[in-house]
Amino acid sequence: MKKLKYILYTFAFLLLTVSVYAQQQRFPKPEFDSGYTQPSTITPEPRALQLEYFDVLILAIFLAVASYLIIKKRSRRGILWLSVLALLYFGFYRNGCICSIGAIQNVTLSFFDATYAVSITALLFFVLPLIVTLFYGRTFCAGVCPLGAIQDLVIIKPLSLPKWLNKTLGLIPYVYLSLAVLFAATGTDFIICRYDPFIGIFRMDAKALMIILGVAMLLMGMFIGRPYCRFLCPYGVLLSWMSRFSKRHLTITPSECIQCKLCSKSCPFDAIDYPTNEKEVVKSGLGPKRFITYALIIPLWIAAGVFVGVKSHTFLSKANPDVYLAELLISQPEVKNDPDNIDVQTFLASGKSMETLVEEAEVIQDKFYTGSMIAGGFLGLVIGMTLLNTVVFRKRQDYEPHKGNCYSCGRCMDYCPVEK
Amino acid sequence: MHRTTREPLRDMEKNNKSKNRREFLQSGVRLSLALALGGVSGLSLSKAIKDDYVWQIDPFACTQCGRCATECVLNPSAVKCVHAYDLCGYCDLCGGYLKPDSNARTTAAENQLCPTAAIERKFIEEPYFEYHINEDLCIGCAKCVKGCTSFGNGSLHLQIIHDICLNCNECSIARMCPSDAIKRVKASEAYNIKGDWTKPTI
Ligand code: SF4
Ligand code: SF4
Ligand code: SF4
Ligand code: SF4
Ligand code: SF4
């Protein structure tokens, strides 16, 4: 009986599919006698391309003005107003998208996905701030980035964090950057965009979790200056590389430092390096011996990183929907009977075979294998170099901004009593 | 300059030397960074396109799972039902308008498939009706699309409406779509309206 029913069903199904294919329209469009005019389907145009180019123009102008205000004009007030404008335009008006930070992923994807080509606007958003930073330091962070601006404006009473904590937390952006590149390269996800903490605030609409994250970040930012910039922002990693070797950079004093120490507590981000005290350095026993040891263990760090990367690649690859689905179907075949699991049901209905799915998943997993290995090695190198840096002794006579970490916000300039 | 006068000449010379060395090194690294940057942008520029991308649904791939209503970063979703009138049969018994088990062909709310009553039914002439989607009410739940595709001509289908969509860098529905139906398309061809647009045959 059951079998008969089954056969009947199959037959009916076949008939239906055949009829669909035989004639596209089951019910032909009628001929109207009453002079009916058919409305047209609405297709409102997306934002005009010219406007996207206008965004790039605004970006370029803002970068130029920010650099001028910091390097030439030395005006904290100017940069403050510029950052407010940037927050209004790129943040609240453009809803925080597209931004330079997220553009990392577009550039990455264009390298790894043959079918994707980055749009010129996204590429310019990625590359312009880096170029400017190579010349004038992180003026982008000071007056153009809306994420930086919103955090900068909420600073009330910044606490100074111990150096080791700053350094350790400062490694997180490297991890974030590696993961973002890995996920973008494997076509898995754009995590920078998905976990942008402030986008919910810019749009005034988001899933509750993202709003909570954004508000928490801002509350924290009242006491810890720019927490996202310092301990998360993946673009900040690239900017800080550029800034370290920038041709020119903000200086605290317009001419000579008179060692008055007035600026020493002015930086909310612990980005001012104090003059070095040679006696102390000698006493603490930092020296060539340590330097050599730390330099020699860098390969060990890299090896450890590669090892961890390889070990975690299966775990990381589960973020990919295809891999996740394949693993789910293999480990728990009973989900096939769960009518509420949309992904599984859609897969079953699609007629794709299990082998194809597994094959595709394996290709992605292979990419994750290579990617995690490289990312792990890179992170090992970063840790090794950071440690090495702690024992490198650089002679400094004056109070100077740390070129990599300084956001060129200009606060310290206001504290310096020296006139031009 | 006043400090240097305090320093012995020898020290000054040493300082200058190390300063020169450091500057040389710095500009070297700066140059390599600039070259790396130029290389990366040059490489991606060789592939870059002038046009922009937007996200759009392939109506032939969509399986009407309903996630379009829930996964968009906007609430209500930027995905709406559109009507390709050319394909519509103007049926009285509309599979997209009426619940399959409805007992009468009336406009009573309990007979309507659409949870927000976004479909407006208008009498044209015996026995034909026009169905029009009120965009402000539609939440993109795909219930009507499913009905129309299974029992009618499939003239109702979902599209991302671009004066609402924020054009996220990565559409958050695309990631969750079980049928991979949401893809980047060129902004100059931003819609895949059934009838005008046919599935590219690959
Ligand atoms: S560190 Fe990142 S988030 Fe902060 S201002 Fe710079 S680019 Fe923006
Ligand atoms: S400009 Fe001065 S206060 Fe601002 S981040 Fe740089 S060192 Fe700190
Ligand atoms: S998520 Fe995909 S399958 Fe589901 S309704 Fe939207 S386009 Fe269709
Ligand atoms: S049933 Fe859903 S998709 Fe169709 S018109 Fe109503 S809200 Fe829109
Ligand atoms: S791009 Fe963003 S706004 Fe547009 S449909 Fe996708 S999630 Fe919604």
Side-chain angles (χ1 to χ4, degrees):
Chain A
M1 197 60 214
K2 224 177 180 179
K3 210 168 177 182
L4 189 72
K5 218 168 146 189
Y6 183 74
I7 292 169
L8 266 176
Y9 271 139
T10 330
F11 187 66
F13 178 74
L14 274 177
L15 214 78
L16 207 71
T17 22
V18 166
S19 66
V20 170
Y21 279 103
Q23 112 205 50
Q24 263 260 318
Q25 257 155 287
R26 288 179 193 139
F27 311 100
K29 189 180 164 192
E31 308 268 331
F32 294 107
D33 306 323
S34 56
Y36 160 77
T37 44
Q38 171 188 312
S40 54
T41 310
I42 46 131
T43 52
E45 284 303 304
R47 199 164 176 269
L49 191 59
Q50 288 89 312
L51 286 176
E52 308 284 328
Y53 283 118
F54 181 71
D55 287 346
V56 177
L57 182 71
I58 295 279
L59 174 78
I61 294 174
F62 270 50
L63 280 170
V65 174
S67 306
Y68 169 76
L69 285 172
I70 285 298
I71 306 282
K72 272 258 144 56
K73 200 83 195 305
R74 301 177 54 78
S75 161
R76 163 70 190 154
R77 183 189 284 263
I79 209 79
L80 184 65
W81 283 113
L82 189 69
S83 72
V84 171
L85 284 182
L87 178 59
L88 290 178
Y89 187 81
F90 291 115
F92 289 104
Y93 170 61
R94 292 295 296 124
N95 285 319
C97 203
I98 180 178
C99 79
S100 301
I101 311 174
I104 297 174
Q105 303 159 129
N106 302 55
V107 174
T108 311
L109 188 63
S110 81
F111 277 113
F112 290 92
D113 183 348
T115 60
Y116 176 75
V118 69
S119 66
I120 295 218
T121 43
L123 181 61
L124 286 173
F125 260 85
F126 173 74
V127 91
L128 280 183
L130 292 175
I131 293 173
V132 171
T133 305
L134 199 53
F135 281 95
Y136 302 113
R138 296 171 74 167
T139 49
F140 172 75
C141 295
V144 192
C145 177
L147 283 78
I150 195 171
Q151 294 174 85
D152 209 87
L153 292 173
V154 298
I155 297 174
I156 299 178
K157 197 174 181 338
L159 306 171
S160 177
L161 300 181
K163 204 165 179 178
W164 63 267
L165 191 60
N166 265 322
K167 286 237 156 143
T168 318
L169 292 178
L171 290 172
I172 303 174
Y174 286 92
V175 181
Y176 199 1
L177 177 68
S178 317
L179 288 179
V181 169
L182 179 64
F183 284 144
T186 52
T188 299
D189 199 355
F190 276 16
I191 52 172
I192 300 177
C193 298
R194 204 141 70 90
Y195 299 110
D196 182 337
F198 303 114
I199 206 139
I201 295 171
F202 293 154
R203 288 178 182 159
M204 314 245 186
D205 178 23
K207 305 258 143 69
L209 189 73
M210 291 315 289
I211 298 268
I212 293 170
L213 190 70
V215 172
M217 199 63 107
L218 286 184
L219 287 178
M220 191 160 93
M222 293 177 179
F223 307 104
I224 298 170
R226 294 199 186 210
Y228 182 81
C229 295
R230 279 156 83 191
F231 308 131
L232 283 168
C233 179
Y235 195 56
V237 170
L238 305 181
L239 287 171
S240 109
W241 290 348
M242 298 295 155
S243 184
R244 257 168 239 249
F245 301 100
S246 65
K247 198 163 173 64
R248 303 184 60 184
H249 193 275
L250 167 140
T251 53
I252 301 179
T253 165
S255 56
E256 277 292 305
C257 178
I258 53 170
Q259 314 272 332
C260 67
K261 299 189 175 66
L262 283 176
C263 66
S264 65
K265 293 268 176 293
S266 66
C267 182
F269 320 115
D270 302 320
I272 294 182
D273 283 336
Y274 293 1
T276 41
N277 184 337
E278 273 175 76
K279 277 185 212 131
E280 246 169 54
V281 173
V282 172
K283 229 193 282 162
S284 72
L286 299 176
K289 219 171 170 184
R290 267 234 202 143
F291 181 84
I292 291 169
T293 334
Y294 279 24
L296 283 179
I297 58 170
I298 287 183
L300 287 183
W301 278 113
I302 297 178
V306 169
F307 179 74
V308 174
V310 167
K311 280 280 157 212
S312 51
H313 88 275
T314 11
F315 171 73
L316 290 173
S317 70
K318 280 192 194 139
N320 186 290
D322 287 346
V323 177
Y324 181 81
L325 185 65
E327 294 227 330
L328 185 73
L329 284 170
I330 291 169
S331 61
Q332 304 171 32
E334 68 273 11
V335 287
K336 284 184 188 156
N337 305 321
D338 177 3
D340 294 333
N341 192 321
I342 295 173
D343 296 290
V344 172
Q345 290 313 322
T346 310
F347 165 70
L348 292 176
S350 73
K352 197 157 122 183
S353 76
M354 192 65 201
E355 283 82 53
T356 332
L357 179 73
V358 170
E359 250 167 53
E360 282 172 8
E362 270 167 359
V363 169
I364 298 170
Q365 241 173 6
D366 279 348
K367 287 186 190 163
F368 264 94
Y369 182 85
T370 330
S372 320
M373 207 161 75
I374 296 171
F378 167 72
L379 287 176
L381 179 69
V382 167
I383 295 176
M385 291 298 280
T386 311
L387 274 179
L388 187 66
N389 245 322
T390 58
V391 290
V392 172
F393 172 64
R394 275 194 205 85
K395 212 152 126 196
R396 230 184 343 260
Q397 281 157 339
D398 305 331
Y399 288 84
E400 281 169 5
H402 182 288
K403 276 174 89 178
N405 294 344
C406 165
Y407 300 113
S408 294
C409 74
R411 282 190 180 80
C412 50
M413 297 188 310
D414 275 358
Y415 284 80
C416 185
V418 177
E419 300 283 331
K420 219 173 189 161
Chain B
M1 285 290 113
H2 60 265
R3 183 161 14 92
T4 44
T5 53
R6 291 198 314 245
E7 280 174 31
L9 214 62
R10 204 153 27 110
D11 251 20
M12 205 174 105
E13 207 184 280
K14 216 167 88 195
N15 262 351
N16 265 348
K17 237 191 204 153
S18 79
K19 212 176 156 194
N20 276 344
R21 199 168 49 224
R22 185 152 7 121
E23 252 160 36
F24 177 73
L25 237 131
Q26 281 232 346
S27 46
V29 177
R30 190 184 313 131
L31 196 70
S32 17
L33 280 174
L35 284 178
L37 210 55
V40 167
S41 32
L43 255 177
S44 32
L45 195 67
S46 67
K47 251 181 86 184
I49 57 157
K50 277 219 199 75
D51 207 348
D52 239 323
Y53 287 107
V54 292
W55 294 94
Q56 195 47 276
I57 298 172
D58 172 352
F60 297 100
C62 169
T63 46
Q64 299 97 34
C65 73
R67 283 193 181 151
C68 272
T70 52
E71 298 299 329
C72 180
V73 296
L74 294 174
N75 186 21
S77 169
V79 174
K80 307 281 174 204
C81 177
V82 296
H83 199 177
Y85 293 97
D86 270 340
L87 299 181
C88 183
Y90 290 80
C91 328
D92 183 3
L93 190 66
C94 169
Y97 182 72
L98 295 165
K99 279 191 186 148
D101 53 351
S102 60
N103 39 24
R105 282 170 224 167
T106 65
T107 50
E110 70 269 17
N111 287 337
Q112 291 186 23
L113 199 55
C114 178
T116 58
I119 307 182
E120 287 152 8
R121 171 182 162 106
K122 195 169 96 192
F123 175 72
I124 306 290
E125 60 182 58
E126 203 55 53
Y128 301 128
F129 290 84
E130 179 198 287
Y131 297 92
H132 169 79
I133 316 289
N134 182 342
E135 251 191 82
D136 298 332
L137 293 180
C138 174
I139 53 168
C141 72
K143 289 207 170 78
C144 61
V145 180
K146 200 167 196 101
C148 180
T149 314
S150 329
F151 305 113
N153 288 350
S155 55
L156 294 173
H157 59 98
L158 292 184
Q159 288 285 284
I160 294 175
I161 303 298
H162 287 299
D163 59 349
I164 309 174
C165 171
L166 299 170
N167 196 14
C168 308
N169 204 7
E170 186 185 48
C171 174
S172 59
I173 316 172
R175 218 185 88 79
M176 296 303 290
C177 175
S179 311
D180 254 346
I182 304 186
K183 294 255 154 55
R184 289 187 181 86
V185 298
K186 298 215 166 106
S188 48
E189 300 149 18
Y191 289 90
N192 302 332
I193 299 293
K194 268 189 176 178
D196 308 349
W197 182 83
T198 38
K199 197 182 178 127
T201 42
I202 318 167

